Amino acid sequence: MTKVLIDCDPGIDDAMALALAVGAPSLEVVAITTVGGNADLAVTTRNALALREFLDLGDVPIAPGSPGALLHPVVRAGHVHGPTGLGDAVLPEPVRAASDGHAVDLIIDTLRAAPGEVTLIAIGPLTNVALAVRKEPRVVAWARDLVIMGGSYTRGNHNPAAEFNMLADPEAAAIVFESGWTVKMLGLDVTLTAVVTEQVLDRMRPLGRLADDLLIPAATCYGMVTADGGPAIHDACAVAYALDPGLVTMTPAVVRVETRGQYTRGMTVVDFRVGEEVPNALVGTRLEVGRFWDTLLDAYGRLAERLG
Ligand code: RIB
Ligand code: CA
């Protein structure tokens, strides 16, 4: 069983990633933290709380974190995730509130309590993760792994150069890549191949309430339509990697985050050349797309049986 702490900004693909983590038999979600990103912190936190109840996550603690970036004005993706942040999915208002503490402390406390056991999965801007490593550098050693959805070595999405999570807080991303972790980076190069095609939607449709109330209304509204005729569910790739690293070809690289460029701020500059510098990342270069969907739909099927 792999324990995971998911730092997220739900967000349509965040929601589908959470559903994968809950449905996957070999993953245990031990904590969730939220960050401002796709939507304001109040919205991403409300969505995480609503997902905790909809996905039957029980007492898993949820703590809100940073509303925005360390240094610069917030960047949002409302045009992609819609006004509620979950597309056309309408989940019941959450009954239970978030934990009193801050996300940074929940990350530190969770990793300290189980050194080497918990994989930190970050699928939003890296502000909380950067603050955690600044407050308690030992989280790098305590975390079993750090898996992020972010960056790319070929192109941006929020602009030509930068992927949204990196652009939303480049300084935080730079701190994280320079903190000593070997970051497992699932960037657009692989996540853009995780496309919800009509065939995938057809495999989701029989999944009861999970499909009717979440997967279908979220996926069909997701504004990131790619050339392949469907949205790419970026964040689910990070959870899928934590579940089965064999789903992604990873290549060692030195990754630096541009924080100053007039046109390139937020760009992940990925150096695959093997030189003297020790790689600080394994970068996703290929997703086994067929097995990815089989894995996802197996987990969704197990979850759908539980949810009815
Ligand atoms: O660029 C894709 C990333 O930005 C995903 O995490 C999505 O949820 C948005 O936050
Ligand atoms: Ca996200």
Side-chain angles (χ1 to χ4, degrees):
M1 184 67 82
T2 300
K3 294 178 180 177
V4 297
L5 186 160
I6 299 179
D7 185 75
C8 56
D9 60 335
I12 289 172
D13 57 331
D14 302 70
M16 299 181 81
L18 274 172
L20 170 59
V22 176
S26 60
L27 291 184
E28 179 189 357
V29 180
V30 296
I32 295 170
T33 51
T34 56
V35 64
N38 288 319
D40 290 345
L41 180 64
V43 175
T44 60
T45 303
R46 179 268 170 202
N47 288 341
L49 294 169
L51 285 160
R52 174 171 65 179
E53 293 174 18
F54 179 76
L55 298 173
D56 196 19
L57 263 171
D59 293 330
V60 169
I62 297 182
S66 180
L70 296 178
L71 291 181
H72 288 262
V74 295
V75 179
R76 292 284 178 258
H79 60 294
V80 172
H81 298 266
T84 69
L86 292 179
D88 292 338
V90 180
L91 300 182
E93 275 307 304
V95 173
R96 295 182 50 222
S99 308
D100 293 336
H102 191 281
V104 168
D105 295 316
L106 182 55
I107 291 171
I108 293 169
D109 294 344
T110 302
L111 296 178
R112 177 193 287 117
E117 293 182 35
V118 179
T119 293
L120 179 51
I121 301 177
I123 51 178
L126 291 174
T127 317
N128 292 338
V129 178
L131 290 169
V133 82
R134 277 287 186 266
K135 181 172 184 180
E136 177 46 86
R138 290 179 291 176
V139 294
V140 175
W142 291 336
R144 175 177 176 174
D145 209 345
L146 171 65
V147 182
I148 75 167
M149 188 280 134
S152 84
Y153 56 87
T154 50
R155 48 158 293 180
N157 58 359
H158 208 71
N159 65 38
E163 178 277 325
F164 176 78
N165 288 337
M166 302 295 99
L167 178 65
D169 198 342
E171 283 75 17
I175 288 169
V176 170
F177 276 100
E178 291 158 13
S179 58
W181 262 302
T182 300
V183 180
K184 308 307 182 294
M185 176 179 136
L186 285 295
L188 296 176
D189 322 285
V190 296
T191 68
L192 280 171
T193 64
V195 175
V196 184
T197 60
E198 275 306 318
Q199 293 74 18
V200 168
L201 284 173
D202 289 345
R203 293 174 68 183
M204 289 181 179
R205 291 191 209 285
L207 298 179
R209 221 158 48 90
L210 176 62
D212 299 344
D213 296 352
L214 179 61
L215 300 179
I216 302 299
T220 49
C221 167
Y222 198 8
M224 295 267 208
V225 178
T226 67
D228 301 276
I233 53 168
H234 307 278
D235 292 337
C237 297
V239 173
Y241 174 81
L243 174 59
D244 177 0
L247 288 172
V248 190
T249 303
M250 305 292 275
T251 307
V254 175
V255 178
R256 298 180 184 87
V257 182
E258 176 58 66
T259 58
R260 287 197 290 269
Q262 180 178 351
Y263 301 109
T264 55
R265 176 171 158 76
M267 178 178 180
T268 47
V269 181
V270 180
D271 187 351
F272 288 113
R273 295 171 305 164
V274 178
E276 300 79 48
E277 204 169 346
V278 174
N280 63 345
L282 290 181
V283 176
T285 51
R286 174 189 163 82
L287 176 70
E288 298 303 324
V289 176
R291 284 206 300 121
F292 168 79
W293 287 116
D294 291 345
T295 302
L296 210 82
L297 286 150
D298 173 72
Y300 285 167
R302 295 165 184 267
L303 178 57
E305 281 175 24
R306 283 162 38 194
L307 300 182

